[in-house]
Amino acid sequence: MVAIDGPAGAGKSTVARQVASALGYTLVDTGSLYRACALVAERAGVAMDDRAGVEAVVAAAVVAGTLRLEAGSAGLTRVVVHGEDPAEALRTPAMSMGASAVAAFPGVREALLDAQRAFGSSGGVVLEGRDIGTVVFPRAELKVFLTASAEERARRRCGELRAKGIDADYAVTLAEVLQRDHQDASREIAPLREALDAVRVDSSAMRPSAVVAAIVALARARGAV
Ligand code: DC
């Protein structure tokens, strides 16, 4: 089991996908679950700062199976909301901020724990998130804390948004990165922090391929075939 945690924009998604593919493992992108919670709240007309309201609609959606994680094609997993894969609707800046806000609510984190553990417990998985090595799978064989400077992360995020045709301003994006860092690191439940036994990788000046190679080598050194 490989846990890859770290702040927004450190390159986790790209790296985790390629590590999973190189090892023949299943990838679980846990951030998409939190984004799906924000989407469920938005569709229910519940404000993102209404803790009780968000916790109630999310718990109900998980119990009813209208928000769930499924095995997808080619070793990927996907989040399903009301029978649909909302992929693009989850990736907007509004859903990034919404996900970060609702991820601070204990009832939301609790509701998503089983779904994450069900996918990871049999091994052969790469889980990507914020608290995988600290809370979800504290016994993961390999924990990587992938990070990069806030400026580099904002530059990357701008590039990704622009590539999708979304108008992105560097200063606004940097402010959002810093705000999300603060929200994710300062919440009381499962804050973003490095596990004591994690390997720290700073990707600021590294190509994704070099980061992938380093993590795959670490995984192989710990028994992955
Ligand atoms: O990785 P991402 O940007 O898609 O994550 C969206 C938000 O979800 C992020 O701001 C923090 C939250 N998150 C979390 O609290 N715990 C996780 N394991 C994954 C994401």
Side-chain angles (χ1 to χ4, degrees):
M1 186 183 298
V2 179
I4 303 181
D5 290 306
K12 290 194 305 293
S13 307
T14 309
V15 164
R17 196 168 49 240
Q18 292 180 18
V19 168
S21 159
L23 295 171
Y25 284 9
T26 299
L27 173 69
V28 182
D29 161 16
T30 62
S32 63
L33 278 170
Y34 290 90
R35 290 169 182 270
C37 291
L39 187 66
V40 163
E42 189 193 63
R43 288 188 179 165
V46 176
M48 300 295 168
D49 60 356
D50 172 359
R51 171 176 165 178
V54 172
E55 288 181 337
V57 290
V58 166
V62 171
V63 168
T66 49
L67 191 179
R68 62 178 195 275
L69 192 60
E70 273 187 6
S73 56
L76 298 177
T77 46
R78 57 187 190 133
V79 168
V80 176
V81 177
H82 290 290
E84 283 170 30
D85 177 355
E88 285 311 306
L90 298 181
R91 314 299 324 165
T92 63
M95 285 301 112
S96 297
M97 296 310 283
S100 178
V102 303
F105 301 147
V108 168
R109 305 201 71 84
E110 180 67 33
L112 299 180
L113 262 185
D114 284 350
Q116 297 173 79
R117 290 187 173 148
F119 261 89
S121 54
S122 49
V125 280
V126 176
L127 291 108
E128 176 224 319
R130 301 292 190 289
D131 63 338
I132 308 304
T134 50
V135 175
V136 183
F137 285 111
R139 297 201 175 165
E141 282 90 354
L142 174 61
K143 301 177 186 179
V144 174
F145 193 81
L146 184 61
T147 187
S149 70
E151 292 73 17
E152 178 59 24
R153 291 185 284 125
R155 256 193 301 279
R156 292 177 189 170
R157 192 62 98 190
C158 268
E160 281 166 18
L161 291 170
R162 286 178 189 149
K164 287 183 195 159
I166 299 171
D167 192 18
D169 177 79
Y170 173 75
V172 172
T173 309
L174 178 60
E176 285 176 356
V177 163
L178 291 170
Q179 190 190 337
R180 276 222 284 162
D181 280 0
H182 177 71
Q183 268 177 210
D184 294 347
S186 62
R187 66 178 175 230
E188 278 178 32
I189 309 284
L192 171 67
R193 66 182 167 78
E194 195 171 341
L196 288 176
D197 51 351
V199 179
R200 186 185 183 87
V201 178
D202 186 331
S203 73
S204 301
M206 285 172 86
R207 271 187 238 256
S209 58
V211 177
V212 171
I215 297 175
V216 167
L218 284 166
R220 295 227 159 99
R222 291 176 194 210
V225 285

CSV table of all heavy atoms in Angstrom, one decimal, residues 7-18 29 35 88 90-93 96 128 130 146 148 151-170 173 176-177 180 203 208:
chain,number,residue,atom,x,y,z
A,7,PRO,N,0.2,18.9,0.1
A,7,PRO,CA,-0.7,20.0,-0.2
A,7,PRO,C,-1.2,20.1,-1.6
A,7,PRO,O,-0.7,19.4,-2.5
A,7,PRO,CB,0.2,21.2,0.1
A,7,PRO,CG,1.6,20.8,-0.2
A,7,PRO,CD,1.6,19.3,0.2
A,8,ALA,N,-2.2,20.9,-1.9
A,8,ALA,CA,-2.8,21.1,-3.2
A,8,ALA,C,-1.7,21.6,-4.2
A,8,ALA,O,-0.9,22.4,-3.9
A,8,ALA,CB,-3.9,22.1,-3.1
A,9,GLY,N,-1.7,21.0,-5.3
A,9,GLY,CA,-0.8,21.4,-6.4
A,9,GLY,C,0.6,20.9,-6.3
A,9,GLY,O,1.5,21.4,-7.1
A,10,ALA,N,0.9,20.0,-5.5
A,10,ALA,CA,2.3,19.5,-5.4
A,10,ALA,C,2.6,18.5,-6.5
A,10,ALA,O,3.7,18.0,-6.6
A,10,ALA,CB,2.5,18.8,-4.0
A,11,GLY,N,1.5,18.1,-7.3
A,11,GLY,CA,1.7,17.2,-8.4
A,11,GLY,C,1.3,15.8,-8.0
A,11,GLY,O,1.6,14.8,-8.7
A,12,LYS,N,0.5,15.7,-6.9
A,12,LYS,CA,0.1,14.4,-6.4
A,12,LYS,C,-0.7,13.6,-7.5
A,12,LYS,O,-0.4,12.4,-7.7
A,12,LYS,CB,-0.8,14.5,-5.2
A,12,LYS,CG,-0.1,14.9,-3.9
A,12,LYS,CD,-0.9,14.7,-2.7
A,12,LYS,CE,-2.3,15.3,-2.8
A,12,LYS,NZ,-2.3,16.8,-2.8
A,13,SER,N,-1.6,14.2,-8.1
A,13,SER,CA,-2.5,13.5,-9.1
A,13,SER,C,-1.7,12.8,-10.2
A,13,SER,O,-1.8,11.6,-10.4
A,13,SER,CB,-3.6,14.4,-9.7
A,13,SER,OG,-4.2,15.1,-8.7
A,14,THR,N,-0.9,13.6,-10.9
A,14,THR,CA,-0.1,13.1,-12.0
A,14,THR,C,0.8,12.0,-11.5
A,14,THR,O,0.9,10.9,-12.1
A,14,THR,CB,0.8,14.3,-12.5
A,14,THR,OG1,-0.1,15.4,-12.8
A,14,THR,CG2,1.5,13.9,-13.8
A,15,VAL,N,1.5,12.3,-10.4
A,15,VAL,CA,2.5,11.4,-9.9
A,15,VAL,C,1.8,10.1,-9.4
A,15,VAL,O,2.3,9.0,-9.8
A,15,VAL,CB,3.3,12.1,-8.8
A,15,VAL,CG1,4.1,11.0,-7.9
A,15,VAL,CG2,4.3,13.1,-9.4
A,16,ALA,N,0.8,10.2,-8.7
A,16,ALA,CA,0.1,9.0,-8.1
A,16,ALA,C,-0.4,8.1,-9.3
A,16,ALA,O,-0.3,6.9,-9.2
A,16,ALA,CB,-1.1,9.4,-7.2
A,17,ARG,N,-1.0,8.8,-10.3
A,17,ARG,CA,-1.5,8.0,-11.4
A,17,ARG,C,-0.4,7.2,-12.1
A,17,ARG,O,-0.5,6.0,-12.4
A,17,ARG,CB,-2.2,8.9,-12.4
A,17,ARG,CG,-3.1,8.2,-13.4
A,17,ARG,CD,-3.9,9.2,-14.2
A,17,ARG,NE,-3.2,10.3,-14.8
A,17,ARG,CZ,-3.4,11.6,-14.5
A,17,ARG,NH1,-4.4,11.9,-13.7
A,17,ARG,NH2,-2.7,12.5,-15.1
A,18,GLN,N,0.8,7.9,-12.3
A,18,GLN,CA,1.9,7.2,-13.0
A,18,GLN,C,2.5,6.1,-12.1
A,18,GLN,O,3.0,5.1,-12.6
A,18,GLN,CB,2.9,8.2,-13.5
A,18,GLN,CG,2.3,9.1,-14.6
A,18,GLN,CD,3.2,10.1,-15.1
A,18,GLN,OE1,4.5,10.0,-14.9
A,18,GLN,NE2,2.7,11.1,-15.8
A,29,ASP,N,-8.1,8.4,-5.8
A,29,ASP,CA,-7.9,9.8,-5.6
A,29,ASP,C,-8.9,10.2,-4.5
A,29,ASP,O,-10.1,10.5,-4.9
A,29,ASP,CB,-8.1,10.5,-6.9
A,29,ASP,CG,-8.4,11.9,-6.8
A,29,ASP,OD1,-8.1,12.5,-5.8
A,29,ASP,OD2,-8.9,12.5,-7.8
A,35,ARG,N,-14.4,16.5,-3.0
A,35,ARG,CA,-15.0,17.4,-4.0
A,35,ARG,C,-16.5,17.0,-4.2
A,35,ARG,O,-17.4,17.8,-4.4
A,35,ARG,CB,-14.2,17.3,-5.3
A,35,ARG,CG,-12.9,18.0,-5.2
A,35,ARG,CD,-12.0,17.7,-6.4
A,35,ARG,NE,-10.7,18.3,-6.2
A,35,ARG,CZ,-10.4,19.5,-6.6
A,35,ARG,NH1,-11.3,20.3,-7.2
A,35,ARG,NH2,-9.2,20.0,-6.3
A,88,GLU,N,-15.7,16.5,-14.5
A,88,GLU,CA,-15.3,17.9,-14.8
A,88,GLU,C,-15.9,18.8,-13.8
A,88,GLU,O,-15.3,19.8,-13.4
A,88,GLU,CB,-15.6,18.3,-16.2
A,88,GLU,CG,-14.6,17.7,-17.3
A,88,GLU,CD,-13.1,17.9,-16.9
A,88,GLU,OE1,-12.7,19.0,-16.6
A,88,GLU,OE2,-12.4,16.9,-16.8
A,90,LEU,N,-16.2,18.4,-10.8
A,90,LEU,CA,-15.5,18.4,-9.5
A,90,LEU,C,-14.2,19.2,-9.6
A,90,LEU,O,-13.7,19.5,-8.5
A,90,LEU,CB,-15.1,16.9,-9.2
A,90,LEU,CG,-16.2,15.9,-9.0
A,90,LEU,CD1,-15.7,14.6,-8.6
A,90,LEU,CD2,-17.2,16.4,-7.9
A,91,ARG,N,-13.8,19.6,-10.7
A,91,ARG,CA,-12.4,20.2,-10.8
A,91,ARG,C,-12.4,21.7,-10.9
A,91,ARG,O,-11.4,22.3,-11.1
A,91,ARG,CB,-11.7,19.6,-12.1
A,91,ARG,CG,-11.7,18.2,-12.3
A,91,ARG,CD,-11.1,17.2,-11.3
A,91,ARG,NE,-9.9,17.6,-10.6
A,91,ARG,CZ,-9.5,17.0,-9.5
A,91,ARG,NH1,-10.2,16.0,-9.0
A,91,ARG,NH2,-8.5,17.4,-8.9
A,92,THR,N,-13.6,22.3,-10.7
A,92,THR,CA,-13.6,23.8,-10.8
A,92,THR,C,-13.0,24.4,-9.6
A,92,THR,O,-13.0,23.8,-8.5
A,92,THR,CB,-15.1,24.3,-11.0
A,92,THR,OG1,-15.8,23.9,-9.8
A,92,THR,CG2,-15.8,23.7,-12.2
A,93,PRO,N,-12.5,25.7,-9.7
A,93,PRO,CA,-12.0,26.3,-8.5
A,93,PRO,C,-13.1,26.4,-7.3
A,93,PRO,O,-12.8,26.3,-6.2
A,93,PRO,CB,-11.7,27.7,-9.0
A,93,PRO,CG,-11.3,27.5,-10.4
A,93,PRO,CD,-12.3,26.5,-10.9
A,96,SER,N,-13.0,23.2,-5.6
A,96,SER,CA,-11.8,23.1,-4.8
A,96,SER,C,-11.9,23.8,-3.4
A,96,SER,O,-11.6,23.2,-2.4
A,96,SER,CB,-10.6,23.7,-5.5
A,96,SER,OG,-10.3,23.1,-6.8
A,128,GLU,N,-4.1,8.6,-2.8
A,128,GLU,CA,-3.6,10.0,-2.8
A,128,GLU,C,-4.5,10.9,-2.0
A,128,GLU,O,-5.8,10.8,-2.2
A,128,GLU,CB,-3.6,10.4,-4.3
A,128,GLU,CG,-3.2,11.8,-4.6
A,128,GLU,CD,-4.1,12.4,-5.6
A,128,GLU,OE1,-4.5,11.8,-6.6
A,128,GLU,OE2,-4.4,13.6,-5.4
A,130,ARG,N,-4.6,13.7,1.8
A,130,ARG,CA,-4.0,14.6,2.8
A,130,ARG,C,-3.7,13.8,4.1
A,130,ARG,O,-2.8,14.2,4.8
A,130,ARG,CB,-5.0,15.7,3.2
A,130,ARG,CG,-5.4,16.6,2.0
A,130,ARG,CD,-4.3,17.4,1.5
A,130,ARG,NE,-4.7,18.4,0.6
A,130,ARG,CZ,-5.1,18.2,-0.7
A,130,ARG,NH1,-5.2,17.0,-1.1
A,130,ARG,NH2,-5.5,19.2,-1.5
A,146,LEU,N,4.5,14.5,-0.5
A,146,LEU,CA,4.9,15.2,-1.7
A,146,LEU,C,4.6,16.7,-1.6
A,146,LEU,O,3.4,17.0,-1.4
A,146,LEU,CB,4.2,14.6,-2.9
A,146,LEU,CG,4.6,15.1,-4.3
A,146,LEU,CD1,6.1,14.9,-4.6
A,146,LEU,CD2,3.8,14.4,-5.4
A,148,ALA,N,5.8,21.1,-2.6
A,148,ALA,CA,6.5,22.0,-3.5
A,148,ALA,C,6.2,23.4,-3.0
A,148,ALA,O,5.3,23.6,-2.2
A,148,ALA,CB,6.0,21.9,-5.0
A,151,GLU,N,4.5,29.1,-4.5
A,151,GLU,CA,4.6,29.8,-5.8
A,151,GLU,C,4.6,28.8,-7.0
A,151,GLU,O,3.9,29.0,-8.0
A,151,GLU,CB,5.9,30.6,-5.9
A,151,GLU,CG,5.9,31.8,-5.0
A,151,GLU,CD,6.1,31.4,-3.5
A,151,GLU,OE1,6.5,30.3,-3.2
A,151,GLU,OE2,5.8,32.3,-2.6
A,152,GLU,N,5.4,27.7,-6.9
A,152,GLU,CA,5.4,26.7,-7.9
A,152,GLU,C,4.1,26.0,-8.1
A,152,GLU,O,3.6,25.7,-9.2
A,152,GLU,CB,6.6,25.7,-7.6
A,152,GLU,CG,6.7,24.6,-8.6
A,152,GLU,CD,7.0,25.0,-10.0
A,152,GLU,OE1,7.5,26.1,-10.2
A,152,GLU,OE2,6.7,24.2,-10.9
A,153,ARG,N,3.4,25.7,-6.9
A,153,ARG,CA,2.1,25.1,-7.0
A,153,ARG,C,1.1,26.0,-7.6
A,153,ARG,O,0.3,25.5,-8.4
A,153,ARG,CB,1.7,24.6,-5.6
A,153,ARG,CG,2.6,23.5,-5.1
A,153,ARG,CD,2.1,23.0,-3.7
A,153,ARG,NE,2.5,23.8,-2.6
A,153,ARG,CZ,1.6,24.3,-1.7
A,153,ARG,NH1,0.3,23.9,-1.8
A,153,ARG,NH2,2.0,25.0,-0.7
A,154,ALA,N,1.2,27.3,-7.4
A,154,ALA,CA,0.2,28.2,-8.0
A,154,ALA,C,0.5,28.3,-9.5
A,154,ALA,O,-0.5,28.3,-10.3
A,154,ALA,CB,0.3,29.6,-7.3
A,155,ARG,N,1.7,28.3,-9.9
A,155,ARG,CA,2.1,28.3,-11.3
A,155,ARG,C,1.5,27.1,-12.0
A,155,ARG,O,0.9,27.2,-13.1
A,155,ARG,CB,3.6,28.4,-11.5
A,155,ARG,CG,4.2,29.7,-11.9
A,155,ARG,CD,5.6,29.6,-12.3
A,155,ARG,NE,6.5,29.1,-11.3
A,155,ARG,CZ,7.0,29.7,-10.3
A,155,ARG,NH1,6.7,31.0,-10.1
A,155,ARG,NH2,7.9,29.1,-9.5
A,156,ARG,N,1.7,26.0,-11.4
A,156,ARG,CA,1.2,24.7,-12.0
A,156,ARG,C,-0.3,24.7,-12.1
A,156,ARG,O,-0.9,24.3,-13.1
A,156,ARG,CB,1.6,23.5,-11.2
A,156,ARG,CG,3.1,23.2,-11.2
A,156,ARG,CD,3.4,22.1,-10.3
A,156,ARG,NE,4.9,21.9,-10.1
A,156,ARG,CZ,5.4,21.1,-9.2
A,156,ARG,NH1,4.7,20.4,-8.5
A,156,ARG,NH2,6.7,21.0,-9.1
A,157,ARG,N,-1.0,25.2,-11.0
A,157,ARG,CA,-2.5,25.2,-11.0
A,157,ARG,C,-3.0,26.1,-12.1
A,157,ARG,O,-3.9,25.8,-12.8
A,157,ARG,CB,-3.0,25.6,-9.6
A,157,ARG,CG,-4.4,25.4,-9.4
A,157,ARG,CD,-4.9,24.0,-9.4
A,157,ARG,NE,-5.0,23.3,-8.2
A,157,ARG,CZ,-5.2,22.0,-8.0
A,157,ARG,NH1,-5.3,21.2,-9.0
A,157,ARG,NH2,-5.3,21.5,-6.8
A,158,CYS,N,-2.4,27.3,-12.3
A,158,CYS,CA,-2.8,28.2,-13.3
A,158,CYS,C,-2.6,27.6,-14.7
A,158,CYS,O,-3.5,27.7,-15.5
A,158,CYS,CB,-1.8,29.4,-13.4
A,158,CYS,SG,-2.4,30.8,-12.4
A,159,GLY,N,-1.5,26.9,-14.9
A,159,GLY,CA,-1.3,26.2,-16.2
A,159,GLY,C,-2.4,25.2,-16.5
A,159,GLY,O,-2.9,25.1,-17.6
A,160,GLU,N,-2.7,24.4,-15.4
A,160,GLU,CA,-3.8,23.3,-15.6
A,160,GLU,C,-5.1,24.0,-16.0
A,160,GLU,O,-5.8,23.5,-16.9
A,160,GLU,CB,-4.0,22.6,-14.3
A,160,GLU,CG,-2.9,21.5,-14.0
A,160,GLU,CD,-3.0,21.1,-12.6
A,160,GLU,OE1,-4.0,21.3,-11.9
A,160,GLU,OE2,-2.0,20.5,-12.1
A,161,LEU,N,-5.5,25.0,-15.2
A,161,LEU,CA,-6.8,25.7,-15.5
A,161,LEU,C,-6.8,26.3,-16.9
A,161,LEU,O,-7.8,26.1,-17.6
A,161,LEU,CB,-7.0,26.7,-14.4
A,161,LEU,CG,-7.3,26.2,-13.0
A,161,LEU,CD1,-7.3,27.3,-12.0
A,161,LEU,CD2,-8.6,25.4,-12.9
A,162,ARG,N,-5.7,27.0,-17.2
A,162,ARG,CA,-5.7,27.6,-18.6
A,162,ARG,C,-5.8,26.5,-19.7
A,162,ARG,O,-6.4,26.8,-20.7
A,162,ARG,CB,-4.4,28.4,-18.7
A,162,ARG,CG,-4.5,29.7,-17.9
A,162,ARG,CD,-3.3,30.6,-18.0
A,162,ARG,NE,-3.3,31.7,-17.1
A,162,ARG,CZ,-2.3,32.2,-16.5
A,162,ARG,NH1,-1.0,31.7,-16.8
A,162,ARG,NH2,-2.4,33.2,-15.7
A,163,ALA,N,-5.1,25.4,-19.4
A,163,ALA,CA,-5.1,24.3,-20.5
A,163,ALA,C,-6.6,23.8,-20.7
A,163,ALA,O,-6.9,23.3,-21.7
A,163,ALA,CB,-4.3,23.2,-20.0
A,164,LYS,N,-7.4,24.0,-19.6
A,164,LYS,CA,-8.8,23.6,-19.7
A,164,LYS,C,-9.7,24.7,-20.2
A,164,LYS,O,-10.9,24.6,-20.2
A,164,LYS,CB,-9.3,23.1,-18.4
A,164,LYS,CG,-8.8,21.8,-17.9
A,164,LYS,CD,-9.4,21.4,-16.6
A,164,LYS,CE,-8.7,20.3,-16.0
A,164,LYS,NZ,-9.0,20.3,-14.5
A,165,GLY,N,-9.1,25.9,-20.6
A,165,GLY,CA,-9.8,27.0,-21.1
A,165,GLY,C,-10.4,27.8,-19.9
A,165,GLY,O,-11.3,28.7,-20.2
A,166,ILE,N,-10.0,27.6,-18.7
A,166,ILE,CA,-10.6,28.4,-17.6
A,166,ILE,C,-9.6,29.6,-17.4
A,166,ILE,O,-8.4,29.4,-17.3
A,166,ILE,CB,-10.7,27.5,-16.3
A,166,ILE,CG1,-11.6,26.4,-16.5
A,166,ILE,CG2,-11.1,28.4,-15.1
A,166,ILE,CD1,-11.7,25.3,-15.3
A,167,ASP,N,-10.1,30.8,-17.3
A,167,ASP,CA,-9.3,32.0,-17.2
A,167,ASP,C,-8.7,32.0,-15.8
A,167,ASP,O,-9.4,32.1,-14.8
A,167,ASP,CB,-10.3,33.2,-17.4
A,167,ASP,CG,-9.5,34.5,-17.6
A,167,ASP,OD1,-8.3,34.3,-17.9
A,167,ASP,OD2,-10.1,35.5,-17.4
A,168,ALA,N,-7.4,31.9,-15.7
A,168,ALA,CA,-6.8,31.9,-14.3
A,168,ALA,C,-5.8,33.0,-14.1
A,168,ALA,O,-4.9,33.2,-15.0
A,168,ALA,CB,-6.1,30.5,-14.2
A,169,ASP,N,-5.9,33.7,-13.0
A,169,ASP,CA,-5.0,34.8,-12.7
A,169,ASP,C,-4.0,34.3,-11.6
A,169,ASP,O,-4.4,33.6,-10.6
A,169,ASP,CB,-5.8,35.9,-12.1
A,169,ASP,CG,-4.9,37.1,-11.7
A,169,ASP,OD1,-4.5,37.8,-12.6
A,169,ASP,OD2,-4.6,37.2,-10.5
A,170,TYR,N,-2.7,34.5,-11.9
A,170,TYR,CA,-1.6,33.9,-11.0
A,170,TYR,C,-1.8,34.4,-9.5
A,170,TYR,O,-1.8,33.6,-8.6
A,170,TYR,CB,-0.2,34.3,-11.5
A,170,TYR,CG,0.9,33.8,-10.5
A,170,TYR,CD1,1.2,32.5,-10.3
A,170,TYR,CD2,1.5,34.8,-9.7
A,170,TYR,CE1,2.2,32.1,-9.4
A,170,TYR,CE2,2.4,34.4,-8.7
A,170,TYR,CZ,2.8,33.0,-8.6
A,170,TYR,OH,3.7,32.7,-7.7
A,173,THR,N,-4.8,32.8,-7.9
A,173,THR,CA,-4.5,31.3,-7.7
A,173,THR,C,-3.6,31.1,-6.5
A,173,THR,O,-3.8,30.2,-5.7
A,173,THR,CB,-3.9,30.7,-9.0
A,173,THR,OG1,-4.7,31.0,-10.1
A,173,THR,CG2,-3.8,29.2,-8.9
A,176,GLU,N,-5.4,31.5,-3.4
A,176,GLU,CA,-6.3,30.4,-3.2
A,176,GLU,C,-5.4,29.2,-2.6
A,176,GLU,O,-5.9,28.5,-1.7
A,176,GLU,CB,-7.0,29.9,-4.4
A,176,GLU,CG,-8.2,30.9,-4.7
A,176,GLU,CD,-8.9,30.5,-6.0
A,176,GLU,OE1,-8.5,29.6,-6.8
A,176,GLU,OE2,-9.9,31.2,-6.3
A,177,VAL,N,-4.3,29.0,-3.2
A,177,VAL,CA,-3.4,27.9,-2.8
A,177,VAL,C,-3.0,28.2,-1.3
A,177,VAL,O,-3.1,27.2,-0.5
A,177,VAL,CB,-2.1,27.9,-3.6
A,177,VAL,CG1,-1.0,27.1,-2.9
A,177,VAL,CG2,-2.4,27.3,-5.0
A,180,ARG,N,-6.1,27.5,0.9
A,180,ARG,CA,-6.4,26.1,1.1
A,180,ARG,C,-5.3,25.4,2.0
A,180,ARG,O,-5.7,24.6,2.8
A,180,ARG,CB,-6.4,25.4,-0.3
A,180,ARG,CG,-7.7,25.6,-1.0
A,180,ARG,CD,-8.1,24.2,-1.7
A,180,ARG,NE,-7.4,24.0,-2.9
A,180,ARG,CZ,-7.3,22.8,-3.4
A,180,ARG,NH1,-7.9,21.7,-2.9
A,180,ARG,NH2,-6.7,22.6,-4.6
A,203,SER,N,9.0,18.5,-4.9
A,203,SER,CA,9.0,18.4,-6.3
A,203,SER,C,9.2,19.8,-7.0
A,203,SER,O,9.1,19.8,-8.2
A,203,SER,CB,7.6,17.8,-6.8
A,203,SER,OG,6.6,18.8,-6.7
A,208,PRO,N,8.0,15.6,-13.2
A,208,PRO,CA,7.2,14.5,-12.7
A,208,PRO,C,7.8,13.1,-12.9
A,208,PRO,O,7.7,12.2,-12.0
A,208,PRO,CB,5.9,14.6,-13.5
A,208,PRO,CG,5.9,16.1,-13.9
A,208,PRO,CD,7.3,16.5,-14.1
